[in-house]
Amino acid sequence: MKWLRFIRKLKPYNIQKGLRYLKHYGPKEFLIRLSERMEPEEVPYGPWREQYCAKEEDLARQKNHKFSYCPKISVVVPAYRTPEIFLRQMIESLEKQSYENWELVIGNASPEDETMARILKEYTGKDPRVKNVPIPENIGIAENTNAALAAAAGNFVGFMDHDDLLAPDALFEIAIRLEKDPSIDAFYTDEDKVRTDLSE
């Protein structure tokens, strides 16, 4: 049963990610991570997620919340040859935020990618909170991030990969805590995994 669960997870993306992990961390750490992935869930994930995710009524209430302190949150994303579906989903996960004082700053290091250029023009044209920072060439994830960061104008900055998504209440949860304690300097937010099967 354990192996059957493991085989179901063998998608091309996960195999590539596993090989990168093996190359970077070595066989010992790779085997530890692999064994962790094969452990059965102590709590079934589906019901747990359903219980804790913000519902539509929660998001509506959050959108109507009047903040006494409303900092702008810049979300900085280095992007390089991002597949269209990932790029659109990432941008739209910002547009669905229940907290509205944000900006998305995308450092586009793929000047030759016409599809990316078209998509970024589409989103920046309809939402001024989405910013495209053209980078003449791919100078690596750190420098691409720094190029985008230089264009950020927010009071706080968060970082995402070009294939990440934000839960619709993610920025609200940060803002509501800042409203209670504006002296907070930094937040740690955990991550979750989503399916990578593009056919679904």
Side-chain angles (χ1 to χ4, degrees):
M1 194 69 171
K2 186 185 285 189
W3 281 102
L4 185 59
R5 260 199 327 271
F6 175 72
I7 289 169
R8 284 182 184 149
K9 292 181 179 179
L10 284 180
K11 308 284 185 186
Y13 176 83
N14 292 334
I15 293 170
Q16 286 179 345
K17 194 171 180 182
L19 290 173
R20 285 197 302 267
Y21 193 91
L22 174 62
K23 182 179 179 182
H24 188 75
Y25 293 103
K28 183 179 177 183
E29 288 297 322
F30 174 78
L31 290 173
I32 290 171
R33 176 58 67 94
L34 188 62
S35 66
E36 288 173 352
R37 295 289 186 200
M38 293 178 66
E39 287 294 321
E41 295 178 15
E42 292 181 16
V43 178
Y45 178 73
W48 179 89
R49 185 179 185 281
E50 194 65 31
Q51 181 180 351
Y52 287 99
C53 275
K55 310 291 188 295
E56 288 301 321
E57 57 269 26
D58 299 323
L59 296 173
R61 188 172 61 251
Q62 291 171 8
K63 285 180 180 178
N64 291 324
H65 181 82
K66 303 300 181 189
F67 282 92
S68 58
Y69 174 52
C70 189
K72 177 181 281 190
I73 300 174
S74 298
V75 179
V76 172
V77 179
Y80 177 66
R81 294 184 180 175
T82 310
E84 178 173 353
I85 189 170
F86 291 158
L87 186 59
R88 287 186 181 279
Q89 288 178 346
M90 182 270 291
I91 296 171
E92 288 169 13
S93 78
L94 267 294
E95 293 183 329
K96 291 174 183 174
Q97 291 300 302
S98 57
Y99 181 74
E100 296 186 342
N101 193 18
W102 55 262
E103 65 173 3
L104 173 61
V105 186
I106 302 170
N108 177 18
S110 308
E112 76 294 339
D113 191 323
E114 294 179 4
T115 301
M116 279 188 69
R118 174 176 51 79
I119 293 167
L120 290 171
K121 184 177 180 181
E122 173 189 335
Y123 284 97
T124 57
K126 66 182 180 182
D127 192 336
R129 297 175 298 176
V130 181
K131 295 182 179 179
N132 174 30
V133 178
I135 301 172
E137 61 178 341
N138 181 26
I139 48 180
I141 190 167
E143 291 302 322
N144 292 343
T145 302
N146 286 338
L149 183 59
N155 306 98
F156 286 82
V157 177
F159 299 95
M160 284 174 57
D161 282 337
H162 63 173
D163 55 354
D164 285 347
L165 305 173
L166 280 184
D169 59 335
L171 298 184
F172 177 87
E173 293 296 339
I174 290 171
I176 199 74
R177 281 157 180 78
L178 285 170
E179 183 176 49
K180 293 174 183 174
D181 184 2
S183 69
I184 295 173
D185 290 323
F187 286 91
Y188 167 80
T189 60
D190 212 339
E191 67 174 3
D192 200 354
K193 302 295 182 185
V194 296
R195 293 180 68 94
T196 56
D197 186 344
L198 299 183
S199 66
E200 294 184 6

